[in-house]
Amino acid sequence: GQYHTCGIRTDGTATCWGADGSGEAPATLAGTWTQITAGGGHTCGIHTDGTATCWGDDARGQAPETLTGTWTQITAGDEHTCGIRGDGTATCWGQNTDGQAPSTLDGTWADLAAGDYHACGTRPDGTATCWGWDNAGQAPGDLAGTWTDIAAGQLHTCGIRTDGTATCWGDDGAGQAPGSLPGTWADLTAGEEHTCGVRTNGTA
């Protein structure tokens, strides 16, 4: 997150550490978990039974304690959150001043990534789109081609196409979004002004 980190152990238990001014980083989390996502000052997670919850700063409605239904993925931005339900439908909640948190996303979704004030997602057919704040070109709407993974940072976005090639777009003031990335890629993750990735040969 912005000033905190959380992790899941191999037995499913989890913990958080770092800044805890709004309760976003408790040292002990009850239950077992399959996913945890850290946002600006809030955190959300999915339990092993598919139920989900959020904690920490909820000033914008980004961290409701209870989320109805079952979930396969949740991603936390600065003051908004998006998630995919068990049936593949998706929604966002929290701050929506720039259109980053629409309550309904059309169709079904395979993966979502929330940046500071924007978000992106891939559908099961590989098509992808971004929405929200686009001041640096980080959320250009529909993306050409087909995609397997997208990572959203503060003002930049990176993605992996179905052929393993990758590219970044948006603010590149710190070299975080250099356009095309050489080689083929298995995973990417974006921070505030930096990006990291794992190539298909295991190097990073």
Side-chain angles (χ1 to χ4, degrees):
Q2 189 170 25
Y3 300 112
H4 72 292
T5 310
C6 297
I8 301 174
R9 303 182 185 90
T10 52
D11 64 359
T13 60
T15 187
C16 299
W17 56 95
D20 192 37
S22 299
E24 66 268 39
T28 302
L29 299 172
T32 54
W33 304 79
T34 60
Q35 188 203 353
I36 293 180
T37 178
H42 72 292
T43 310
C44 298
I46 300 175
H47 299 279
T48 48
D49 64 0
T51 60
T53 187
C54 299
W55 56 93
D57 180 17
D58 192 38
R60 303 281 187 161
Q62 69 267 43
E65 185 175 348
T66 302
L67 300 171
T68 58
T70 57
W71 301 79
T72 60
Q73 188 202 14
I74 293 183
T75 178
D78 185 52
E79 292 185 308
H80 75 289
T81 310
C82 297
I84 301 174
R85 302 183 187 91
D87 63 1
T89 60
T91 186
C92 300
W93 57 94
Q95 185 183 36
N96 194 37
T97 52
D98 297 287
Q100 68 268 47
S103 59
T104 302
L105 298 172
D106 292 338
T108 57
W109 297 81
D111 184 64
L112 297 176
D116 269 20
Y117 303 105
H118 74 290
C120 300
T122 59
R123 301 178 186 89
D125 64 0
T127 59
T129 189
C130 297
W131 58 93
W133 198 24
D134 190 39
N135 67 316
Q138 68 270 33
D142 291 339
L143 303 176
T146 54
W147 304 78
T148 61
D149 182 56
I150 293 184
Q154 183 184 38
L155 298 175
H156 75 290
T157 309
C158 297
I160 302 173
R161 301 182 186 87
T162 49
D163 64 0
T165 60
T167 189
C168 299
W169 55 94
D171 179 30
D172 190 38
Q176 68 270 42
S180 296
L181 301 173
T184 56
W185 298 80
D187 186 60
L188 296 173
T189 180
E192 186 173 358
E193 292 186 308
H194 71 291
T195 311
C196 297
V198 180
R199 300 182 185 90
T200 51
N201 64 3
T203 60

